[in-house]
Amino acid sequence: MNRVCLFIRVSTDKQDYQRQILELNEFCRQKNFTVTETIATKITGTKTFQFREDLQRLFKSAAAKSFDKVVVSEVSRIGRNAKDIRHTVDYLHSKKIAVVFRNLGGLESLDDKGNESFVTNIIIAIYSELAQEEKRILSDRIKSGLVNARHKGKQIGRPEGKQSDAALLKKYSRLAADLGKGLSLTQCQKLHDVSRNTAIKVKRLIQPH
């Protein structure tokens, strides 16, 4: 019962999922898991199931019994909509496939008998809601940044040769989210591979006014 599928997702083309692949492979090595499939995609977690090719592939492989567990770095890699996260977990459970959360110390959503535990369900529910709340906070911060930019008389439309504030926030939405969480400019520079000037611009746009 140690065959696993690595399920990896990053939100934008600017992000690289190689780090997740390396970390999860090392995690599986320590757990004596055999990786039989890796699903790694660049797609926003806010898209619903019908627009998520990665989830459709996961469901297809699960139905074919290609693995016994799905390993993720955290619940938000499954998605950022609580209803869709629950739907995905429920489908995997219907196939007796457990979800393993690396960030929770390797917590598995099913016990050795294939049953859901009460505690696991609570944790999944909490983290699903947190993932959805993070999406809402990011959206609010972006909107606030746009309002702040307009209030300061900044150009919202896109002048020739210059990227608008709206486009900048959209392009670096994950950077904005991490800055909003309190990560430093230096940390965000390294994490998202951007210049310090870009990090500063995004931080100014999301700062409360």
Side-chain angles (χ1 to χ4, degrees), residues 92-110:
L92 293 172
H93 286 181
S94 73
K95 303 298 180 183
K96 298 299 181 182
I97 295 172
V99 182
V100 184
F101 302 98
R102 177 181 173 273
N103 70 316
L104 298 178
L107 175 76
E108 298 193 18
S109 60
L110 296 177

Side-chain angles (χ1 to χ4, degrees), residues 34-51:
T34 300
V35 178
T36 59
E37 185 170 355
T38 298
I39 300 175
T41 53
K42 296 184 178 184
I43 188 170
T44 175
T46 61
K47 288 185 178 292
T48 52
F49 171 76
Q50 60 266 37
F51 299 108

Side-chain angles (χ1 to χ4, degrees), residues 15 63 90 104-105 127 132 153 167:
Q15 294 175 291
D90 284 345
L104 298 178
Y127 274 81
Q132 184 161 298

Side-chain angles (χ1 to χ4, degrees), residues 41-114:
T41 53
K42 296 184 178 184
I43 188 170
T44 175
T46 61
K47 288 185 178 292
T48 52
F49 171 76
Q50 60 266 37
F51 299 108
R52 291 277 305 275
E53 293 183 4
D54 55 341
L55 286 180
Q56 293 180 38
R57 178 180 165 188
L58 178 69
F59 280 29
K60 184 176 180 179
S61 294
K65 302 291 185 180
S66 299
F67 43 77
D68 309 302
K69 308 175 192 289
V70 175
V71 180
V72 297
S73 58
E74 57 178 294
V75 72
S76 67
R77 298 307 88 199
I78 298 174
R80 293 192 176 277
N81 179 290
K83 182 178 179 181
D84 285 347
I85 292 171
R86 187 69 251 186
H87 171 68
T88 299
V89 173
D90 284 345
Y91 180 81
L92 293 172
H93 286 181
S94 73
K95 303 298 180 183
K96 298 299 181 182
I97 295 172
V99 182
V100 184
F101 302 98
R102 177 181 173 273
N103 70 316
L104 298 178
L107 175 76
E108 298 193 18
S109 60
L110 296 177
D111 62 23
D112 292 339
K113 296 181 180 179

Side-chain angles (χ1 to χ4, degrees), residues 140-176:
D140 288 347
R141 283 189 176 275
I142 290 175
K143 290 176 183 177
S144 176
L146 293 175
V147 171
N148 191 28
R150 292 191 184 98
H151 180 70
K152 293 179 179 179
K154 293 184 178 180
Q155 174 70 43
I156 299 299
R158 185 174 184 177
E160 184 177 353
K162 183 178 180 180
Q163 184 170 233
S164 71
D165 292 332
L168 187 69
L169 284 170
K170 182 177 181 180
K171 182 177 180 179
Y172 297 106
S173 60
R174 295 296 301 162
L175 169 62

